[in-house]
Amino acid sequence: MQDTTTPARRSKGHAWIEAMRLRTLPVSMAGVAAGCGCAAYYGSFRLLPALICLLFALLAQIASNFANEYYDFAKGLDKKGREGFRRGVTEGDISPRAMKRATYALLLLDALLGCSLIYWGGWWLIAVGIAVFIFALAYSAGPYPLSHHGWGDVAVVIFFGIVPVTLTAWLQAGTWDILPLALPLSVGTGMLAANVLIVNNYRDMEDDLTVGKHTTVGIFGRAPMLAVYMTMGVVGSFLPYPVLMAGGTLSIFCLLLPLWSSSGYLLLGKTMSKARGASLNNVLKHTSLLMFIFTLLNAIMMACSPLNVNAV
């Protein structure tokens, strides 16, 4: 949780680590884990491309976090002592120039890393990489920042759910025959990822509206988005299970996992309804961890219950 009681600057190392927003990084890890679980379900798991996808996703999210911090500062949208994660640039811990350089350096490094995936997926992956980098910047930068106009949630579903899950699974399986499972799994994962953003915007609603930043929470209000949070937690947890059960490889006891996950989101939603300000940072952390733990356990379950197919 951010310390808003002391105005003193943080050490450089601490400031950079804080700018990475480690509490939210499980979101990008979860998408890759889900894709690996899907590939394993079809008997196609490959360690090396899976690891490259994981590192690519982490670097892309960190670069997006850096870009968000730099561009929000440049546009005057941040203020000192905010309720959320400490902003190193705004608080004077990191210079704006250093943050901008770090953002583009990470994007360049990630581009070079992503090029290695061409070996498994072909040259068309360059277009996917360009789309990911545009999102990393367009989320906060440009003439129409997505996060400032209520499109952040949709973008998260796409780039933290649909894109990483389907591509991670496809790069390992080498066929789109995995789509019947990969698509609902990716949408469900994206919904759970969007819940992390909803908590963030739920906490920052007043600050965001003050500077003209219109998130979905600011547009629709806290109560409706709280209902969306709990609904997506339940739907996202159960979405891939009709396909998994139809495959005939899972027992009814496997439904205990999405039941556990969905009940967790309902309990966190109840906590959200009574919390405000910095106290929501714990809800944000637990939402991120719940998503990652559920996705990881779900992937392990799929790996332990592979579909008996030879065509994939």
Side-chain angles (χ1 to χ4, degrees), residues 10-22 25 62-63 65-67 69-70 86-89 93-106:
R10 304 288 176 90
S11 68
K12 288 294 184 182
H14 190 181
W16 280 107
I17 291 174
E18 216 162 21
M20 294 178 186
R21 302 178 200 173
L22 300 184
L25 293 186
I62 293 172
N65 290 340
F66 283 2
E69 185 155 333
Y70 169 76
R86 182 182 175 94
R87 298 290 187 114
V89 177
D93 304 325
I94 303 171
S95 73
R97 185 179 183 184
M99 183 61 76
K100 186 177 182 180
R101 285 182 172 179
T103 298
Y104 287 96
L106 278 181

Side-chain angles (χ1 to χ4, degrees), residues 16 35 42 45 48 65 68 74 77 103 108 140 149-150 153 167 195 198 236 264 279 281 301 312:
W16 280 107
Y42 286 93
F45 175 74
L48 185 54
N65 290 340
N68 178 250
L77 300 180
T103 298
L108 176 59
S140 305
H149 296 87
D153 309 67
L167 284 183
N195 269 353
I198 288 174
S279 61
N281 287 337
M301 181 197 68
V312 178

Side-chain angles (χ1 to χ4, degrees), residues 185-273:
L185 182 63
S186 69
V187 174
T189 302
M191 286 181 173
L192 301 185
N195 269 353
V196 178
L197 180 61
I198 288 174
V199 179
N200 182 82
N201 295 337
Y202 190 95
R203 179 198 62 207
D204 296 341
M205 187 182 77
E206 288 82 8
D207 287 344
D208 288 341
L209 289 175
T210 299
V211 296
K213 183 176 179 180
H214 298 285
T215 65
T216 51
V217 180
I219 294 170
F220 300 108
R222 279 198 170 98
M225 291 309 296
L226 179 60
V228 170
Y229 171 92
M230 292 190 285
T231 301
M232 291 206 303
V234 174
V235 174
S237 297
F238 277 98
L239 201 55
Y241 276 77
V243 178
L244 290 169
M245 299 302 292
T249 60
L250 300 184
S251 71
I252 193 67
F253 295 104
C254 293
L255 290 175
L256 293 174
L257 184 56
L259 281 171
W260 166 78
S261 174
S262 57
S263 63
Y265 284 105
L266 293 176
L267 289 172
L268 285 170
K270 184 178 180 180
T271 301
M272 280 177 65
S273 67

Side-chain angles (χ1 to χ4, degrees), residues 61-126:
Q61 185 179 356
I62 293 172
S64 181
N65 290 340
F66 283 2
N68 178 250
E69 185 155 333
Y70 169 76
Y71 285 103
D72 276 5
F73 168 81
K75 294 177 181 180
L77 300 180
D78 277 340
K79 63 180 182 180
K80 293 187 177 183
R82 65 192 296 273
E83 297 287 0
F85 298 113
R86 182 182 175 94
R87 298 290 187 114
V89 177
T90 301
E91 301 291 346
D93 304 325
I94 303 171
S95 73
R97 185 179 183 184
M99 183 61 76
K100 186 177 182 180
R101 285 182 172 179
T103 298
Y104 287 96
L106 278 181
L107 288 175
L108 176 59
L109 178 62
D110 212 22
L112 295 175
L113 178 66
C115 285
S116 65
L117 292 172
I118 293 173
Y119 175 80
W120 291 279
W123 290 99
W124 71 276
L125 287 177
I126 293 177

